[in-house]
Amino acid sequence: STVRGVSPLLQDAIRRILLNASEAMPEGGVIVVRTRSGEGQICIEVADTGSGMTEEVRKKLFDPFFSTKGPQFRGLGLSATLGIIQRHEGRIDVESTEGVGTTVRIILPLESRVSKIVPVRPDWDDPARATGEQGDRG
C-alpha cells in the first residue's frame, strides 16, 4: 500500500523517531522498523531496546519544549513529528518500559485530505516522491 503525502515531511518525522531511538541506546542496541497495512491504513513501527521511559515522561513526550536531554536541547523534535503526522490525519502511539525499550507506532490513513492535494502521476516511479505541497516533483 502507498500513502500519499508530503514526502520530505513524513521522512523527517520518521528520521526524528529513529534519532530518538538511537539516542536512547548510548551503549548500543537494536532498532527494528516494521510496516504493515490493512483496514485503510498503514502502520510504521519503530522499536528499540533502549533505556525506555517512565509513564510521566511518556505523557509529556510530544509537548513543545519538553526534553530529557538537558538545557542545550529545545525539545521540539517529537512535537514537530506529532504535528507532521496529525497534518497527514494520522496518529502516534507510544509504548515504553524503563530498562526494556520503546515502541513508537505511526498510523496513517491511505486516503486523507493530503492525499487528495498531492497528486500521483503514473509517469513517476514512486508515488511517495511527490514532494511539494503543490504536488511538484522533488
Side-chain angles (χ1 to χ4, degrees):
S1 297
T2 301
V3 170
R4 287 182 280 170
V6 184
S7 185
L9 291 179
L10 291 171
Q11 290 172 13
D12 183 54
I14 294 166
R15 191 175 302 115
R16 289 172 190 261
I17 290 171
L18 288 168
L19 178 62
N20 266 41
S22 68
E23 288 176 347
M25 302 183 303
E27 306 300 318
V30 176
I31 298 174
V32 176
V33 179
R34 296 181 188 95
T35 60
R36 62 181 179 275
S37 63
E39 299 177 18
Q41 62 187 19
I42 68 141
C43 175
I44 303 161
E45 183 177 275
V46 178
D48 68 61
T49 59
S51 56
M53 64 188 93
T54 64
E55 184 65 15
E56 181 182 335
V57 169
R58 191 189 66 76
K59 286 181 180 177
K60 295 179 180 179
L61 199 57
F62 297 103
D63 291 356
F65 308 110
F66 175 76
S67 177
T68 59
K69 298 173 190 168
Q72 70 273 27
F73 291 91
R74 293 182 301 172
L76 294 174
L78 290 180
S79 175
T81 297
L82 180 61
I84 290 166
I85 299 306
Q86 288 177 335
R87 193 167 166 192
H88 286 79
E89 298 179 23
R91 72 177 198 276
I92 301 177
D93 296 334
V94 179
E95 292 177 17
S96 188
T97 304
E98 273 189 285
V100 176
T102 300
T103 299
V104 177
R105 290 180 192 88
I106 299 173
I107 295 99
L108 294 166
L110 293 176
E111 287 296 326
S112 68
R113 283 175 290 190
V114 172
S115 71
K116 293 172 178 63
I117 294 168
V118 180
V120 174
R121 293 186 5 201
D123 58 320
W124 290 0
D125 304 320
D126 175 6
R129 295 218 26 165
T131 57
E133 291 197 89
Q134 296 83 27
D136 56 29
R137 186 172 183 179

